[in-house]
Every structure is written in C-alpha cells, then in structure tokens.
Amino acid sequence: MKTVNEVSRITGVSVRTLHHYDSIGLLKPANVTEAGYRLYDDEALERLQQILLFRELEFPLKDIRAILESPQFDRGRALEQQIALLELKKEHIENLLDLARGIKLLGVNHMDFSAFDTRKLDQYAAEAKAAYGQTKEYQEFLEKTKDRTGADNRQLTLRMMALFTEFGGLRHLPPDAPEVQAQVEKLQGFINEHFYSCSDEILHWLAQGYAGGGEMNANIDRAGGEGTGEFVFQAVKAHCGK
C-alpha cells in the first residue's frame, strides 16, 4: 500500500488532483485509515496508469470514467487503442517539428499548414470513445450517473459491497441454492436500478470480472471473505444456465 503522498511522488500527479479523482469517483483509494489517510494498492495504481494514458490523449475526465466503468471496457483493447493514438500523436508532433525546422531554414514564407491537420488523430479518438458508447446500456449508464456526486457514488459503492458481504455469508451453500439465487436476483436488480439494464448475458459477463483476479475480485473478497468473487461467479453461472 502507498500513501497519497507516495503516489504523488512516484507519478507526478499532485495530491490535490488525486483527491479530486477520488471525489468524482474516478480513482478510489483501496483503503482509508481511521485517521483519514488514503492508501493505494497495485490495482489502484494500474487504474491510475489507464487514467494518465487517457489524459495524455486529452480525454476529458468524465469520458475516462465512463470508459473505465463501461460494461464493454476491455483493458487489453483499450491499451491497443491508446498505443495507436499515441503513435498518431507522435506522428503529429514530428510533423510539427519538421514544419518548425522548415520555417527556421526557409523563413516565414514557408506556408505549409498540413502539419496542423489533426483530423486523423481526432477521428481515431472519436472512434475509440464510440466503441464504448454503441450500446443502449452504456447510454443508460451515462443518463443515470450524470448528476451523481462523489458522495452519491461512495454510498452506492458501499451498498453494492454490502451485497457481496451477504454473498460471503452464503458460501456454505451450493451456488444454485434458492437463497443464493435470490441474492443473485437482488444483485441484478441493484444494477438495473442504479446503473443500466442488466440482462443475464451482461450479468454473466460482469461476474467473470468478479472472479477474474483483478481489482473488483479483490474488493469482493475483502467484503465477503476469500473466495467470494468465485462463489458469486458460480452462482451467476447457475442463474444464467451456463
């Protein structure tokens, strides 16, 4: 675990900015001490890397948060898009350098404005953003979350984690037990109400992340006990008949 000051020192992101990211729900610390100090684990730092790459590409914070929390978000695919965008940005900067050198060599009468053309970069960035906005679920998510404050998001996170704590208390039962299946329906209803229409297909996709070994898996296991993420995944599989 690293303190907010340590994260600021190794990343160059100011403490104030990290506090802001927390307040808008973009980057939550893994834990907060009784004294109120934010602590960040490796999963939080990985998310910060994603955020900073998107920021280098001049994505607005609200777009970054929407992309990272989109049901369609895939970290590997996002990284490929970021690499492609950075290569386009590199090409654009190199063109500007060539133009500047040309002006220095030939004087101000060297009237070439092609280096300022960012249409290819802008188009690819728009396509990358649109890849996460093509589903009705994503649009519904944007609509339901547009007016929420950081406090609202923290409260919803606590309520959702409470559902996983309840799952943890059911781990002595088989995943297809009626009590467990009722809890799956409760989770699905919570997502329906507060985020987007959660079909069985989407629920199954989400549940893979609950047991996938990432940040969400770790948070669920903290809430319900070791193995809760995998248990929820098996319960969802039973619910969806997969």
Side-chain angles (χ1 to χ4, degrees):
M1 290 280 194
K2 290 181 170 55
T3 67
V4 68
N5 286 307
E6 289 172 329
V7 172
S8 176
R9 185 169 63 252
I10 65 176
T11 65
V13 179
S14 70
V15 171
R16 181 177 180 180
T17 296
L18 291 169
H19 287 179
H20 178 60
Y21 287 174
D22 182 9
S23 70
I24 64 175
L26 179 59
L27 179 69
K28 307 297 295 181
N31 196 12
V32 179
T33 68
E34 292 183 1
Y37 294 108
R38 295 168 171 83
L39 299 175
Y40 296 82
D41 60 8
D42 288 344
E43 286 81 7
L45 292 178
E46 287 177 8
R47 183 177 173 97
L48 180 57
Q49 277 187 332
Q50 285 284 340
I51 293 167
L52 294 180
L53 279 170
F54 280 122
R55 289 298 289 151
E56 283 295 323
L57 295 165
E58 301 178 11
F59 279 47
L61 293 180
K62 63 181 181 63
D63 286 353
I64 297 173
R65 181 185 164 200
I67 288 172
L68 294 179
E69 296 181 3
S70 166
Q72 311 302 318
F73 179 70
D74 180 277
R75 183 171 296 182
R77 181 184 176 201
L79 187 57
E80 289 176 0
Q81 292 172 330
Q82 288 165 340
I83 290 170
L85 281 166
L86 287 167
E87 287 176 343
L88 287 171
K89 189 173 183 179
K90 177 185 175 184
E91 179 184 338
H92 175 64
I93 292 173
E94 287 175 343
N95 288 338
L96 288 173
L97 281 168
D98 288 343
L99 172 65
R101 292 187 182 110
I103 293 173
K104 181 179 179 181
L105 179 64
L106 301 174
V108 293
N109 291 327
H110 183 60
M111 294 298 184
D112 179 4
F113 291 91
S114 60
F116 296 101
D117 188 350
T118 63
R119 282 176 293 184
K120 187 164 63 171
L121 179 60
D122 294 341
Q123 179 182 354
Y124 192 95
E127 289 173 356
K129 294 177 187 179
Y132 299 98
Q134 292 173 348
T135 66
K136 62 181 176 58
E137 290 83 10
Y138 176 78
Q139 296 301 325
E140 186 179 356
F141 169 80
L142 288 181
E143 181 63 27
K144 286 186 174 182
T145 60
K146 66 179 182 180
D147 296 323
R148 286 184 191 159
T149 65
D152 293 333
N153 289 322
R154 285 190 290 273
Q155 184 61 31
L156 279 176
T157 298
L158 289 173
R159 290 175 60 188
M160 191 161 185
M161 285 300 109
L163 294 176
F164 293 120
T165 300
E166 292 170 6
F167 269 111
L170 298 171
R171 280 183 296 144
H172 62 286
L173 298 172
D176 61 352
E179 299 94 328
V180 179
Q181 288 304 302
Q183 187 67 15
V184 171
E185 292 176 3
K186 187 175 177 181
L187 172 64
Q188 191 172 26
F190 184 87
I191 297 171
N192 276 326
E193 180 181 357
H194 298 290
F195 298 100
Y196 44 78
S197 299
C198 184
S199 65
D200 284 355
E201 182 180 3
I202 290 176
L203 183 63
H204 182 260
W205 183 86
L206 290 171
Q208 293 178 55
Y210 298 164
E215 179 182 0
M216 191 63 178
N217 192 172
N219 289 338
I220 290 171
D221 282 359
R222 277 194 290 268
E226 189 69 27
T228 299
E230 177 63 28
F231 178 72
V232 175
F233 176 52
Q234 297 301 326
V236 169
K237 282 177 64 177
H239 172 80
C240 297
K242 294 184 181 290

